[in-house]
Amino acid sequence: MTDGEELYKLVAELYPICRSITGDGVRRTLEIVDREIGLQLHEVPTGTQVFDWTVPREWNICDAWVANAAGERVIDFQASNLHVVSYSVPVRARMPLAELKRHLHTLPEHPDWIPYRTSYYAESWGFCASQRLVDSLPEGDYEVCVDATLADGHLTYGEHVVAGQTEDEVLVTCHVCHPSLANDNCSGIAVASRLAGRLGGTRPRYTYRFLFIPGTIGSITWLARNEDRVGRIRHGLVLACVGDPGHLTYKRSRRGDAEIDRAVRHVLERSGRQHEIVEFSPYGYDERQFCSPGFDLPVGCLSRTPYARYPQYHTSADDLDLVRPEHLQDTFDACWEVLGVLEGNRRYLNLNPKCEPQLGKRGLYGSIGGRSDAEERQMAMLWALNLSDGDHTLLDVADRARLPFALVADVAGSLEQAGLLAAVSIPAAR
Amino acid sequence: MTDGEELYKLVAELYPICRSITGDGVRRTLEIVDREIGLQLHEVPTGTQVFDWTVPREWNICDAWVANAAGERVIDFQASNLHVVSYSVPVRARMPLAELKRHLHTLPEHPDWIPYRTSYYAESWGFCASQRLVDSLPEGDYEVCVDATLADGHLTYGEHVVAGQTEDEVLVTCHVCHPSLANDNCSGIAVASRLAGRLGGTRPRYTYRFLFIPGTIGSITWLARNEDRVGRIRHGLVLACVGDPGHLTYKRSRRGDAEIDRAVRHVLERSGRQHEIVEFSPYGYDERQFCSPGFDLPVGCLSRTPYARYPQYHTSADDLDLVRPEHLQDTFDACWEVLGVLEGNRRYLNLNPKCEPQLGKRGLYGSIGGRSDAEERQMAMLWALNLSDGDHTLLDVADRARLPFALVADVAGSLEQAGLLAAVSIPAAR
Amino acid sequence: MTDGEELYKLVAELYPICRSITGDGVRRTLEIVDREIGLQLHEVPTGTQVFDWTVPREWNICDAWVANAAGERVIDFQASNLHVVSYSVPVRARMPLAELKRHLHTLPEHPDWIPYRTSYYAESWGFCASQRLVDSLPEGDYEVCVDATLADGHLTYGEHVVAGQTEDEVLVTCHVCHPSLANDNCSGIAVASRLAGRLGGTRPRYTYRFLFIPGTIGSITWLARNEDRVGRIRHGLVLACVGDPGHLTYKRSRRGDAEIDRAVRHVLERSGRQHEIVEFSPYGYDERQFCSPGFDLPVGCLSRTPYARYPQYHTSADDLDLVRPEHLQDTFDACWEVLGVLEGNRRYLNLNPKCEPQLGKRGLYGSIGGRSDAEERQMAMLWALNLSDGDHTLLDVADRARLPFALVADVAGSLEQAGLLAAVSIPAAR
């Protein structure tokens, strides 16, 4: 199987589970990720204060339906977990259609799709259904049942750490709180898991921390419980909606010019991929919390088509047809290349800074001069030597030289071996 | 009457008066403004040294004409005060046409218009007339009379102050030295007066100082006499040529990025008006003096069509037909909005800077999540929270969020009331 | 003769000489330059360590040829000095065509041209010839002769200094190591010589140092022997390929915004010439060494068509037809104007910084005001006054005012004479 196929298989396994911000759906999801890469699980009790927020009661659902006068289920949670507004309180009642409709959510512009709705912090209940179905309901009384529990329990999240050579961290996060939405965010869970798996066999420069967390309340909870280690985070990436056919879209961190911002831009630009770089805004996924002014972490968000910009967003059409193996693989490849830039980005000092060193006598230069072309590798060497003043990083070199980072990093290695460059110990990240 | 009609009525009342940089025309003008808003009048004696300049002798004119051999007035000051070069010395003489022509100014490219000319600092006399009239003059002797006085007296200017909550000042100036030119600058006098009137009933944050001054020598005189208070000026606006049909044009201060520059740009850009922002240059109106390197005040200049860029500029065609009520009103509205930005622009500190506060529990957020749209007001709140780090002003927030300043200021107020933001006492202006 | 004709005559005289990085060809070249402007000659012994490099053995060539079985010279150094790979070791041998071909260099895409090749630092020998000639060689044995010496000797370079009023230096360099290539770089030698000659009669503000050096090893040698005086270099220009029909191309210094970069840009932009400004890169001519990170000197490179971007580059077609008098003159004129900017660029302090001074009473301003145009000279005066705060240079003024430097410098002189500006003693260069 290709990477893409493996990724898709994981998405397909995660897809049917009914997740919310708390409850057993999250636990079942994390079990699957645990099987793949191993996870440290955290259970945070209801009522725990996390900054301005409180960990909510845990929501679990067994069944839910709307039945007509004949007792037939016309809306059935068993058919799609999107049918129930997430965090609906338990209810068992009989009511006429008009009253029922006040609890029904539809998408008139997409009459066959079921919308996805939540009501985490306001006690209520509701059903989501296709407009066509709701339009077909005859007048009459309906039986409504939400067989759910909303009770003290825990908020669950998972953490996976790949220990690196330094305590400086790269954070990769994804949200695990959405039910059957394949792109948003089974795709993110899959790509994050696989990145962790791929890093597993290595001893990277950075320590990598992967978070599998419910959106918003999850990142807030993690930040509240890890405030003392936040300073170690040098770079971060939120992964969301990464399996659809759209081109890659990167949303910059609040800082706008953090190393992660420049690394992703470099990879996307150099790859020749169609792509888009958008400015930070305080709406979106968990970068909202990581980039709140009290933290201002260098965390960006990578998506293909960003939230709310594809019609299937937050509907039943965000399904296993929308996500494709090749798109998952493309995202994974880009992420892997970005991590490669972060890993390899250093500052070097030219040990022979006055005039160029004689590359030829070290076997680093062709012996027949006077050619009317300069080869890319030799240009990379000259650039690395010229800009290695202890100030520029290799990414600076690659950007100014308009050369691929990997090539610049490679020649820097050769020049270091030849004794012409020395890595500067000051960390590259600010 | 609309604002525009009121403004136009004032322009029409000011238009006929024969103004120069000194003399009774200025006094009559200031009497009218005094009637509207109340003015503190200043009379500065001839010979007073003001920096590199000296307050000139006062010029007053009773009558002036050129008569033909038959004694008929062929050029007559009573018909248009533009006919006499401003500051012409008294003369009574008879001369042949050829000699007379050395004292005549015309506009060959606009043969029906009378040009406007001055000779403040070189003793001479002259007449301005239409090319057509001059061409029609037969050979022969002409009688010339300028019945004017050029004698020790005073330079007159008016000042109007609206006391604010702070001593930090906003300066609004216009020139009162041009004779019958409606756009340049009866329009500026009218808009400035009305802004002062509108502010009158309020207790604004800033103290507003309105100057009604002769161009160049007036601003130099004011600066020389108020050198000690110049440091209080936080923002300033010169109003000139603000009633013609052209779109609004703002000329930046010498600093280029002062808060006034950013406020005007924000208002013009957000309004959807066609407009133009031009860089500072040391030619134009009194911003030349306010932006001289020894002061370098944050003073820009707002016009519709700038000086010398409309054909009627400094001619008899700059008349009551060129200026229209709706253009005066549009300028007034833009100015008023700019003052609103200056008044409302503050720095806030997010009191809950770690992660987002829970807006929902404060009634500041919709309770049904998962919607695929984010409303503008909620975006404004998130932006205000995210950027309120004590560094960004609300104008910074509005610009970065691409939202109207008024909306951002409004939500900041709500967030302040909810205890989520606190205004920072450091003044926003640099 | 025009400047262009004189320049062309010198190019034509330099063209036939067989130059390399060492040897008598360089000496003959420098004799010609010495006759024109006087030169201080330097002879640096073989084996001298210059930073990472070693001065190589001296190469001199008497004759070289390839003869066919009939004893006829089919490739003959006497016909073109490009026929021999520069620094070929002596050889006398007989070999079949197949073996000979391993030593032959051609340009298949230009079958009539002879390429230019060197092998300075790898011991080998070779011939260059047209593809057409090589294709016409019948099978058989060939006699090969390179009658050259490669022995201890010297590296030769020339230096010419025009003493200025200060010890701050402007460096102008060109390479003298290429054989019969007219544009690359007989043209550079000619323009540099003539600039030196033109400066000769003057007592400029800067001291001008002209270097006539072999490429790479020459600049490295000069830098190694003059490390202590490098700090005096305020501006520098490498001249190469300056006689072809292409438009002028300026390659910025590594700093990118050095005064030389801004001066050249100003001259090229203001002149209305078609031109190109390219970013620094660490490949090209001796700016590579001057801009190495240990020196980072403000040295740019002026060319017409840059190296490797014209088809005749490093071939026998870079001949006396490619270079034309009018192009040499155009380059010379631009250089002379650039030196004029460097000479004239100063910071001034406005001695009357509060409001404008009254120009009229000093005879610096027209006496009839109210004109609808502002003349360029008066605008230049107002700009010079407005920006002369001790921070802006005259080049800053000219750029911001979009006026020619020469005009701004001229009015600054008038304003200085009038006591309104005073030159600031701090040097303009950083």
Side-chain angles (χ1 to χ4, degrees):
Chain A
M1 280 208 290
T2 64
D3 279 337
E5 286 161 353
E6 300 260 22
L7 286 160
Y8 186 80
K9 194 179 147 197
L10 188 51
V11 168
E13 185 177 1
L14 295 165
Y15 177 71
I17 301 168
C18 180
R19 280 166 290 266
S20 186
I21 52 174
T22 60
D24 291 332
V26 173
R27 290 191 189 91
R28 280 204 295 281
T29 299
L30 297 182
E31 278 165 23
I32 292 170
V33 176
D34 180 46
R35 182 197 70 207
E36 296 285 312
I37 56 171
L39 274 190
Q40 186 181 0
L41 293 173
H42 300 267
E43 296 277 353
V44 185
T46 297
T48 304
Q49 194 68 20
V50 287
F51 296 125
D52 192 49
W53 300 62
T54 309
V55 172
R57 284 179 293 170
E58 184 175 327
W59 185 69
N60 283 295
I61 183 162
C62 296
D63 200 359
W65 43 263
V66 175
N68 62 16
E72 297 159 343
R73 291 187 172 202
V74 294
I75 301 176
D76 187 355
F77 171 75
Q78 305 299 335
S80 166
N81 56 39
L82 298 181
H83 275 314
V84 180
V85 170
S86 193
Y87 262 69
S88 282
V89 294
V91 66
R92 183 76 193 239
R94 191 176 186 85
M95 61 190 66
L97 181 62
E99 188 181 338
L100 173 64
K101 280 192 172 173
R102 292 205 297 273
H103 293 270
L104 297 184
H105 303 275
T106 64
L107 290 167
E109 64 273 33
H110 295 292
D112 292 318
W113 297 355
I114 309 166
Y116 162 58
R117 292 285 181 270
T118 69
S119 183
Y120 300 138
Y121 299 101
E123 287 208 3
S124 71
W125 62 266
F127 284 84
C128 300
S130 73
Q131 183 68 45
R132 212 175 295 282
L133 182 135
V134 172
D135 289 346
S136 73
L137 295 180
E139 291 297 326
D141 274 7
Y142 289 84
E143 185 83 21
V144 166
C145 170
V146 174
D147 180 8
T149 57
L150 190 57
D152 284 357
H154 296 84
L155 175 145
T156 315
Y157 68 86
E159 208 163 358
H160 174 91
V161 174
V162 179
Q165 299 163 37
T166 67
E167 293 201 331
D168 289 339
E169 291 191 4
V170 177
L171 187 73
V172 180
T173 84
C174 57
H175 60 279
V176 296
C177 53
H178 285 187
S180 289
L181 299 173
N183 197 37
D184 179 16
N185 193 28
C186 298
S187 69
I189 302 170
V191 171
S193 300
R194 197 157 185 87
L195 286 170
R198 179 70 59 90
L199 281 167
T202 71
R203 174 80 171 153
R205 171 181 169 203
Y206 287 108
T207 292
Y208 285 79
R209 184 173 303 273
F210 291 82
L211 301 184
F212 299 85
I213 49 178
T216 304
I217 186 67
S219 51
I220 293 170
T221 300
W222 186 87
L223 283 163
R225 300 177 92 213
N226 293 277
E227 218 179 325
D228 57 336
R229 67 172 355 122
V230 156
R232 297 183 191 169
I233 298 172
R234 297 275 171 246
H235 323 285
L237 211 47
V238 174
L239 296 177
C241 304
V242 294
D244 68 276
H247 57 242
L248 283 162
T249 304
Y250 177 71
K251 173 180 161 180
R252 294 178 191 273
S253 74
R254 181 180 187 268
R255 297 183 187 177
D257 64 346
E259 192 173 338
I260 183 68
D261 301 321
R262 298 188 52 226
V264 178
R265 184 187 48 67
H266 180 88
V267 166
L268 295 182
E269 281 184 2
R270 294 297 318 171
S271 71
R273 282 179 181 91
Q274 196 188 350
H275 68 276
E276 196 177 353
I277 310 269
V278 298
E279 294 303 314
F280 175 76
S281 84
Y283 196 73
Y285 292 102
D286 284 322
E287 69 278 8
R288 293 162 68 160
Q289 312 309 329
F290 297 117
C291 296
S292 58
F295 291 114
D296 195 21
L297 293 173
V299 174
C301 178
L302 190 68
S303 301
R304 300 191 72 87
T305 308
Y307 76 90
R309 279 183 33 197
Y310 55 102
Q312 304 92 334
Y313 173 75
H314 277 196
T315 78
S316 56
D318 182 349
D319 61 15
L320 292 170
D321 288 332
L322 178 65
V323 170
R324 303 309 311 157
E326 60 270 28
H327 308 315
L328 290 162
Q329 173 140 15
D330 181 62
T331 305
F332 177 82
D333 292 345
C335 288
W336 188 251
E337 202 177 335
V338 168
L339 301 190
V341 172
L342 298 177
E343 282 288 310
N345 195 24
R346 291 167 191 279
R347 279 182 177 75
Y348 283 91
L349 204 58
N350 183 336
L351 299 177
N352 186 85
K354 293 185 175 173
C355 298
E356 294 171 6
Q358 195 179 354
L359 296 175
K361 71 183 182 190
R362 295 174 176 88
L364 295 170
Y365 206 80
S367 62
I368 294 284
R371 288 167 310 183
S372 59
D373 67 313
E375 290 172 29
E376 203 175 52
R377 186 173 178 82
Q378 291 181 4
M379 279 309 293
M381 264 189 246
L382 293 174
W383 274 112
L385 287 164
N386 189 272
L387 293 181
S388 287
D389 48 14
D391 186 28
H392 295 84
T393 67
L394 291 184
L395 184 54
D396 294 328
V397 176
D399 278 340
R400 185 155 171 191
R402 299 172 196 272
L403 290 170
F405 178 85
L407 173 64
V408 171
D410 185 53
V411 302
S414 301
L415 292 167
E416 190 177 18
Q417 282 189 319
L420 292 172
L421 291 186
V424 176
S425 57
I426 303 158
R430 68 169 183 173
Chain B
M1 278 207 291
T2 64
D3 279 338
E5 286 161 352
E6 300 261 20
L7 285 160
Y8 187 81
K9 191 179 149 199
L10 188 50
V11 168
E13 185 177 1
L14 294 165
Y15 176 73
I17 300 168
C18 181
R19 280 166 291 266
S20 185
I21 52 174
T22 61
D24 291 331
V26 174
R27 288 190 191 93
R28 279 202 296 279
T29 298
L30 297 182
E31 278 165 24
I32 293 170
V33 177
D34 180 47
R35 181 198 70 207
E36 296 286 311
I37 56 170
L39 275 189
Q40 186 180 0
L41 293 173
H42 300 266
E43 297 277 353
V44 185
T46 296
T48 304
Q49 193 67 20
V50 287
F51 297 125
D52 192 49
W53 301 62
T54 307
V55 171
R57 285 180 291 170
E58 184 175 327
W59 185 69
N60 284 293
I61 183 162
C62 296
D63 200 0
W65 42 264
V66 174
N68 62 15
E72 297 159 341
R73 291 186 172 202
V74 293
I75 302 176
D76 186 356
F77 171 74
Q78 305 301 334
S80 166
N81 56 41
L82 297 182
H83 275 314
V84 180
V85 170
S86 194
Y87 261 69
S88 281
V89 295
V91 65
R92 183 77 193 238
R94 190 175 188 86
M95 61 189 67
L97 180 62
E99 188 181 337
L100 172 63
K101 279 191 174 174
R102 291 206 298 272
H103 294 271
L104 297 185
H105 303 276
T106 64
L107 290 169
E109 66 271 32
H110 293 292
D112 291 317
W113 295 356
I114 308 165
Y116 161 57
R117 292 286 182 271
T118 69
S119 184
Y120 300 138
Y121 299 101
E123 287 207 3
S124 72
W125 61 268
F127 283 84
C128 299
S130 74
Q131 183 67 46
R132 212 175 296 282
L133 182 136
V134 172
D135 289 345
S136 73
L137 295 179
E139 292 296 328
D141 276 7
Y142 288 84
E143 184 82 21
V144 166
C145 168
V146 175
D147 179 8
T149 57
L150 190 57
D152 283 359
H154 295 82
L155 177 144
T156 313
Y157 68 86
E159 208 164 358
H160 175 91
V161 175
V162 179
Q165 298 163 36
T166 67
E167 293 201 330
D168 290 337
E169 290 191 3
V170 177
L171 188 72
V172 179
T173 83
C174 58
H175 60 280
V176 296
C177 53
H178 285 188
S180 289
L181 299 172
N183 198 38
D184 179 17
N185 193 30
C186 298
S187 69
I189 301 169
V191 171
S193 300
R194 196 157 184 87
L195 287 170
R198 179 70 58 90
L199 281 168
T202 71
R203 174 78 172 157
R205 172 180 168 204
Y206 287 107
T207 292
Y208 286 78
R209 185 173 302 273
F210 291 82
L211 302 184
F212 299 85
I213 48 179
T216 306
I217 187 67
S219 50
I220 293 169
T221 299
W222 186 87
L223 283 162
R225 301 177 92 213
N226 292 277
E227 218 179 325
D228 57 336
R229 69 169 357 119
V230 156
R232 297 181 190 171
I233 298 173
R234 297 277 171 242
H235 322 285
L237 210 46
V238 173
L239 297 177
C241 303
V242 294
D244 67 278
H247 57 243
L248 282 162
T249 303
Y250 177 70
K251 172 180 163 182
R252 292 178 192 272
S253 75
R254 182 180 187 267
R255 297 182 187 177
D257 64 346
E259 191 172 338
I260 183 69
D261 301 322
R262 299 188 52 228
V264 177
R265 183 187 47 65
H266 180 88
V267 166
L268 295 183
E269 281 183 2
R270 295 294 321 169
S271 72
R273 282 180 180 90
Q274 195 188 351
H275 68 276
E276 195 177 354
I277 310 269
V278 299
E279 295 303 314
F280 175 76
S281 83
Y283 196 74
Y285 292 101
D286 283 322
E287 68 278 7
R288 294 163 68 159
Q289 313 308 329
F290 297 118
C291 296
S292 58
F295 290 115
D296 195 20
L297 293 172
V299 174
C301 177
L302 190 69
S303 301
R304 299 192 73 86
T305 308
Y307 75 90
R309 280 184 30 200
Y310 55 102
Q312 303 92 335
Y313 173 76
H314 277 195
T315 77
S316 55
D318 182 348
D319 61 15
L320 291 170
D321 288 333
L322 178 65
V323 170
R324 303 308 311 157
E326 60 269 29
H327 309 315
L328 290 162
Q329 174 141 15
D330 181 62
T331 305
F332 177 82
D333 291 346
C335 288
W336 188 252
E337 202 178 336
V338 168
L339 301 190
V341 172
L342 298 176
E343 283 288 310
N345 194 25
R346 290 166 191 277
R347 279 182 177 75
Y348 282 90
L349 204 59
N350 183 336
L351 299 177
N352 186 86
K354 293 185 176 174
C355 299
E356 293 171 7
Q358 195 179 354
L359 296 175
K361 71 182 182 189
R362 295 176 176 86
L364 296 170
Y365 206 79
S367 62
I368 294 283
R371 288 166 311 182
S372 59
D373 66 313
E375 290 172 28
E376 200 174 54
R377 186 174 178 82
Q378 290 180 6
M379 280 308 294
M381 266 189 244
L382 293 174
W383 273 112
L385 287 164
N386 189 272
L387 294 181
S388 287
D389 48 14
D391 187 29
H392 295 83
T393 66
L394 292 183
L395 184 54
D396 294 328
V397 175
D399 277 340
R400 186 155 171 191
R402 298 174 196 273
L403 291 171
F405 178 84
L407 173 64
V408 171
D410 185 52
V411 301
S414 300
L415 292 166
E416 190 178 18
Q417 282 190 322
L420 292 171
L421 290 185
V424 177
S425 58
I426 302 157
R430 67 170 184 175
Chain C
M1 281 208 288
T2 63
D3 280 337
E5 285 162 353
E6 300 260 21
L7 285 160
Y8 187 80
K9 192 178 150 200
L10 187 52
V11 168
E13 184 177 1
L14 295 165
Y15 178 71
I17 301 168
C18 181
R19 281 165 291 265
S20 186
I21 52 173
T22 61
D24 291 332
V26 173
R27 289 190 189 92
R28 278 202 297 279
T29 299
L30 298 182
E31 278 166 23
I32 293 170
V33 176
D34 180 46
R35 181 198 71 207
E36 296 286 312
I37 56 170
L39 273 190
Q40 184 180 2
L41 292 174
H42 300 267
E43 295 277 353
V44 185
T46 296
T48 304
Q49 193 67 22
V50 286
F51 296 126
D52 192 48
W53 301 62
T54 308
V55 171
R57 285 180 292 170
E58 184 174 327
W59 185 69
N60 283 294
I61 184 162
C62 295
D63 200 359
W65 42 264
V66 174
N68 62 16
E72 297 159 342
R73 291 187 171 198
V74 294
I75 301 176
D76 186 356
F77 170 74
Q78 305 301 335
S80 166
N81 56 40
L82 298 182
H83 275 314
V84 180
V85 170
S86 193
Y87 260 69
S88 282
V89 294
V91 64
R92 182 75 192 241
R94 190 175 187 87
M95 61 189 67
L97 180 62
E99 188 181 337
L100 173 64
K101 279 191 173 173
R102 291 205 297 273
H103 293 271
L104 297 184
H105 303 275
T106 64
L107 289 169
E109 65 273 31
H110 294 292
D112 291 317
W113 295 356
I114 308 165
Y116 161 57
R117 292 286 182 271
T118 69
S119 184
Y120 300 138
Y121 299 101
E123 287 209 2
S124 71
W125 62 267
F127 283 85
C128 299
S130 74
Q131 184 66 45
R132 211 174 295 280
L133 181 135
V134 172
D135 289 347
S136 73
L137 295 179
E139 291 298 327
D141 274 6
Y142 288 84
E143 185 81 20
V144 165
C145 169
V146 174
D147 178 8
T149 57
L150 191 56
D152 284 357
H154 296 83
L155 176 144
T156 313
Y157 67 86
E159 206 164 359
H160 175 91
V161 174
V162 179
Q165 298 163 37
T166 67
E167 292 201 332
D168 290 337
E169 289 191 4
V170 177
L171 188 72
V172 180
T173 84
C174 57
H175 60 280
V176 296
C177 54
H178 285 188
S180 290
L181 299 172
N183 197 37
D184 180 14
N185 194 29
C186 298
S187 68
I189 302 169
V191 171
S193 300
R194 196 157 185 87
L195 287 170
R198 179 70 58 91
L199 281 167
T202 71
R203 175 78 172 157
R205 171 181 168 203
Y206 287 107
T207 292
Y208 285 78
R209 184 173 303 273
F210 291 82
L211 301 184
F212 299 85
I213 49 178
T216 305
I217 187 67
S219 50
I220 293 169
T221 299
W222 187 86
L223 283 163
R225 301 176 92 215
N226 292 277
E227 218 179 325
D228 57 336
R229 68 171 355 122
V230 156
R232 296 181 191 171
I233 298 172
R234 297 277 171 242
H235 323 285
L237 211 47
V238 174
L239 298 176
C241 303
V242 294
D244 67 276
H247 57 242
L248 283 163
T249 303
Y250 176 70
K251 173 179 162 181
R252 293 177 191 273
S253 75
R254 181 181 187 268
R255 297 182 187 177
D257 63 345
E259 192 173 338
I260 182 69
D261 301 322
R262 300 188 52 228
V264 177
R265 184 187 48 66
H266 180 88
V267 165
L268 295 183
E269 281 183 2
R270 294 296 318 170
S271 73
R273 281 178 180 92
Q274 196 188 350
H275 68 276
E276 196 177 352
I277 309 271
V278 299
E279 295 303 314
F280 174 76
S281 85
Y283 196 73
Y285 292 101
D286 284 321
E287 69 278 7
R288 295 163 67 159
Q289 312 309 328
F290 298 117
C291 295
S292 58
F295 291 114
D296 195 21
L297 293 173
V299 174
C301 177
L302 190 69
S303 300
R304 300 192 72 86
T305 308
Y307 74 90
R309 280 185 30 201
Y310 57 101
Q312 303 93 335
Y313 173 75
H314 277 197
T315 77
S316 56
D318 182 350
D319 61 14
L320 291 171
D321 288 333
L322 178 65
V323 170
R324 302 310 310 157
E326 60 270 29
H327 309 316
L328 290 162
Q329 173 141 15
D330 181 62
T331 306
F332 177 82
D333 292 345
C335 289
W336 188 252
E337 203 178 335
V338 168
L339 301 190
V341 172
L342 298 176
E343 283 288 310
N345 195 25
R346 291 166 191 279
R347 280 182 177 74
Y348 283 89
L349 204 59
N350 183 336
L351 299 177
N352 186 86
K354 294 186 175 173
C355 300
E356 294 170 7
Q358 194 178 355
L359 296 175
K361 72 183 181 189
R362 295 174 176 88
L364 296 170
Y365 206 80
S367 61
I368 293 284
R371 288 166 312 182
S372 59
D373 67 313
E375 290 174 28
E376 202 173 53
R377 185 173 179 83
Q378 290 181 5
M379 279 309 293
M381 265 190 245
L382 293 174
W383 274 112
L385 287 164
N386 189 273
L387 294 181
S388 287
D389 48 14
D391 187 29
H392 295 83
T393 66
L394 291 184
L395 184 53
D396 293 328
V397 176
D399 277 341
R400 185 155 173 192
R402 299 172 195 273
L403 291 170
F405 178 85
L407 172 64
V408 171
D410 185 53
V411 301
S414 300
L415 292 167
E416 192 178 17
Q417 283 190 320
L420 291 172
L421 292 185
V424 177
S425 57
I426 302 158
R430 68 171 182 174

